[in-house]
Amino acid sequence: MNNVLKLSVIFSIFLYQRGTAQHRISITIDGIPAGKEIILGYHFADQKYAVDTVITDEMGKVVFYGDTELKPGMYFLYNPNEIWFDFIVKEQDFSLTFSKKELYKDLEVKNSLENELFKEFQLQMLAANILKDSILKSFKQTSKKEDTIAAQKKLIDIEKEVSNNRKSIIKKAPNSLVANILMLMERPEPPDYKEIKDTDKRRTAQLQYYKNHFLDNIHFKDIGLLRTPLLKVTVEEFFDKVVVPHPDTILYYCDKIIRESEFDAELFRFWLVTFFNKYEKSDIMGMEVIWVTLAEKYYLTGKADWLKPEDLTNLQEEVDFLRPNLIGKIAPRLHLLDTALNPLYLEQMNAKYMVLFFYDPNCGTCIKKTPELGALYPQLKALNAEVLAVCVPTKVDEWKNYVKKNKMKWLNGADPNTQSNFRHDYNVRYTPQIYILDNKKRIIAKKLDTSQIIEFIKNHSRYH
């Protein structure tokens, strides 16, 4: 070891002894030879990040220390082909000793209640998994119905015991990070509601209870949960499987969670970005109102201070394109000319449903979709629906030739004098674009394929 390196090591030890180190985690792993790299990392939602790397000594020992506190959460030790070991960081000075082969079975913990609790949970899970594997093995070896039923009952009983064991740990240390992690695995247990005689109504009441109490198990103010693999998937389960996929309902819960996280910059950024990205990319029609609302409430008001000015400018432009044509809004004005170059106004049309079809005669997809829509036109008329096809380019001859060639017998309009702002108001940055309006000219659907139009209108008519 050269003199500079010696001085560096001595200085580091001196700093720790003087008490300037803010975290010190000592790990001894029996069965790991000297000279192995052990990576310290942490879970962050569905990602994993490395923090530090230390080489094992002759005793298989590594010490991770530094002059800042480690943020609480679920961390891991890793070396390819050697070890993967999850543990908890909340206390900043503790030690763990275990063997490469047995892991939690022979784990010794010093100065960390969190890891004592985590060890207890891991051993319970290990015992439960051994039992389940045994039952599943015997289950595969039998064809008797009574044996199958018995095996299924045993598996259910094991799951109940696992849940009871989790609850026991939670009760033992309710303010611990481990307790809050285990709470993420629990689900609400609705009452029997035996007083409700109607089966469907009872089931509805139980589902409502389940939805209303699902988030009770999530301690959103515990920043340590962010550094676990469970928090995000649990919240995603709530939004994807529990909540009715209606924009107003989803927006209510998004906003609730974001507001609860505003006390911590990292939590706030995580949830805002998570929901913003989720509903920007959603395939469910109408969800873009969530994206627009979050943009206007948080990003464009300066609360998302990590965005660059040019990013905010681009975001504002995108919001401006989407805001006028959100589902539920009255359709923006359309003042066009028909093929005789007479005025054609959307406001004067009185069909029960209006199908707006924005197209470009030179667009390959439009060329394909126009005759498809034409074949549907008799069915649309039977449903009291009308089509207004709007040519996006301004070349009159090209437009008229396209109408004639495709025998477009519905209402045809264009804006050759560019007097209308429909390209912006209907977000016609690409073609084709299809909107459906109700009899009040309210937008009830958008971005549909031609094959979806008839079914959508029939479904809408059933409930309106």
Side-chain angles (χ1 to χ4, degrees):
M1 183 182 292
N2 62 45
N3 290 333
V4 174
L5 186 55
K6 283 181 180 177
L7 286 172
S8 175
V9 171
I10 292 169
F11 185 62
S12 297
I13 294 171
F14 173 74
L15 284 178
Y16 176 71
Q17 290 173 341
R18 287 288 300 271
T20 56
Q22 295 298 305
H23 73 267
R24 185 180 191 276
I25 302 174
S26 175
I27 311 283
T28 302
I29 311 170
D30 184 32
I32 297 286
K36 288 288 184 179
E37 278 192 350
I38 302 296
I39 298 169
L40 172 67
Y42 61 88
H43 299 268
F44 189 89
D46 50 4
Q47 303 295 319
K48 299 177 184 69
Y49 296 93
V51 176
D52 199 356
T53 302
V54 176
I55 307 297
T56 55
D57 66 11
E58 293 80 1
M59 302 297 293
K61 183 176 180 179
V62 290
V63 180
F64 299 96
Y65 65 91
D67 59 4
T68 58
E69 286 194 1
L70 293 177
K71 293 187 176 182
M74 187 182 294
Y75 284 64
F76 59 84
L77 302 172
Y78 171 71
N79 176 279
N81 305 316
E82 291 284 351
I83 191 76
W84 181 285
F85 180 81
D86 285 314
F87 64 103
I88 302 298
V89 169
K90 188 172 182 182
E91 301 95 344
Q92 298 294 312
D93 188 348
F94 61 91
S95 65
L96 304 174
T97 302
F98 58 92
S99 68
K100 171 185 170 182
K101 183 178 180 181
E102 297 295 340
L103 297 180
Y104 301 99
K105 279 187 177 180
D106 60 3
L107 173 64
E108 294 181 12
V109 180
K110 290 185 179 179
N111 300 325
S112 176
L113 172 63
E114 295 286 350
N115 282 293
E116 292 283 6
L117 297 169
F118 193 63
K119 172 187 175 181
E120 183 178 348
F121 165 68
Q122 290 288 354
L123 291 178
Q124 289 172 356
M125 288 300 298
L126 178 62
N129 288 337
I130 290 172
L131 272 176
K132 285 194 283 188
D133 288 344
S134 173
I135 292 168
L136 289 171
K137 185 177 180 181
S138 62
F139 174 74
K140 291 177 182 178
Q141 295 173 348
T142 183
S143 57
K144 295 180 180 179
K145 184 177 179 181
E146 56 270 25
D147 291 341
T148 300
I149 294 172
Q152 290 172 340
K153 184 179 183 303
K154 287 179 182 178
L155 290 173
I156 291 171
D157 289 342
I158 291 172
E159 287 302 322
K160 287 179 180 178
E161 185 178 357
V162 167
S163 179
N164 288 334
N165 288 336
R166 285 199 300 261
K167 290 172 182 175
S168 175
I169 296 173
I170 292 167
K171 187 177 180 180
K172 184 185 299 183
N175 297 319
S176 65
L177 173 56
V178 169
N180 289 342
I181 291 172
L182 299 186
M183 286 288 285
L184 294 174
M185 303 178 191
E186 297 297 317
R187 296 295 177 266
E189 297 179 8
D192 291 334
Y193 288 117
K194 291 181 179 178
E195 70 278 9
I196 302 177
K197 303 304 179 185
D198 184 276
T199 304
D200 290 338
K201 290 181 180 179
R202 187 186 312 121
R203 176 63 176 159
T204 299
Q206 290 174 330
L207 290 173
Q208 188 67 30
Y209 180 96
Y210 189 84
K211 184 195 80 170
N212 291 343
H213 292 277
F214 190 97
L215 297 182
D216 293 353
N217 292 329
I218 306 175
H219 291 257
F220 286 103
K221 293 188 182 299
D222 187 339
I223 60 174
L225 294 180
L226 192 54
R227 283 172 171 72
T228 72
L230 292 174
L231 178 63
K232 186 181 179 185
V233 296
T234 305
V235 173
E236 283 181 341
E237 179 186 340
F238 176 71
F239 280 94
D240 295 341
K241 298 180 180 180
V242 179
V243 173
V244 175
H246 187 281
D248 289 346
T249 304
I250 290 176
L251 190 54
Y252 168 80
Y253 285 107
C254 286
D255 195 51
K256 174 182 170 67
I257 292 171
I258 291 169
R259 282 188 286 106
E260 284 192 28
S261 71
E262 285 186 298
F263 76 98
D264 182 84
E266 187 177 40
L267 269 177
F268 171 71
R269 178 170 179 167
F270 172 77
W271 285 122
L272 178 56
V273 171
T274 295
F275 294 137
F276 190 73
N277 290 343
K278 180 179 179 66
Y279 293 107
E280 178 188 22
K281 301 169 185 175
S282 177
D283 294 328
I284 302 175
M285 186 172 58
M287 292 300 170
E288 59 195 10
V289 67
I290 299 170
W291 186 87
V292 169
T293 304
L294 293 177
E296 293 182 323
K297 185 169 184 177
Y298 294 103
Y299 284 93
L300 298 177
T301 56
K303 291 185 177 182
D305 56 7
W306 56 87
L307 283 189
K308 297 176 182 178
E310 57 268 31
D311 295 328
L312 286 172
T313 299
N314 293 335
L315 180 59
Q316 182 68 69
E317 181 181 323
E318 188 66 24
V319 167
D320 289 343
F321 267 105
L322 292 174
R323 191 190 299 107
N325 51 76
L326 294 172
I327 300 290
K329 288 209 167 194
I330 298 297
R333 63 193 291 272
L334 267 176
H335 290 185
L336 310 168
L337 298 179
D338 63 17
T339 51
L341 303 183
N342 294 318
L344 183 64
Y345 301 141
L346 176 62
E347 294 91 330
Q348 297 174 338
M349 301 171 190
N350 296 314
K352 184 177 180 181
Y353 295 100
M354 287 296 306
V355 177
L356 305 183
F357 176 58
F358 296 93
Y359 70 93
D360 183 335
N362 300 303
C363 155
T365 306
C366 301
I367 292 170
K368 176 184 177 183
K369 294 300 176 182
T370 301
E372 288 182 9
L373 186 58
L376 297 175
Y377 190 52
Q379 295 180 63
L380 289 169
K381 292 294 285 184
L383 294 169
N384 295 317
E386 184 54 87
V387 174
L388 171 58
V390 182
C391 181
V392 176
T394 57
K395 294 179 181 178
V396 174
D397 289 342
E398 185 178 67
W399 164 45
K400 288 184 177 182
N401 288 336
Y402 188 83
V403 169
K404 184 177 181 180
K405 178 181 177 181
N406 286 278
K407 300 178 181 178
M408 297 163 66
K409 298 179 180 179
W410 47 59
L411 298 170
N412 291 288
D415 184 22
N417 300 320
T418 61
Q419 299 298 305
S420 176
N421 199 33
F422 73 80
R423 293 164 187 80
H424 174 275
D425 291 345
Y426 286 90
N427 193 18
V428 189
R429 287 178 285 181
Y430 62 90
T431 53
Q433 289 270 16
I434 294 175
Y435 286 79
I436 299 180
L437 317 181
D438 65 11
N439 60 344
K440 295 180 180 178
K441 304 296 186 296
R442 196 166 40 213
I443 298 171
I444 57 174
K446 59 193 289 190
K447 296 183 179 179
L448 293 177
D449 185 74
T450 50
S451 62
Q452 299 172 303
I453 296 173
I454 297 294
E455 190 63 29
F456 176 85
I457 291 177
K458 284 182 177 179
N459 286 334
H460 191 272
S461 294
R462 289 191 190 106
Y463 301 105
H464 296 83

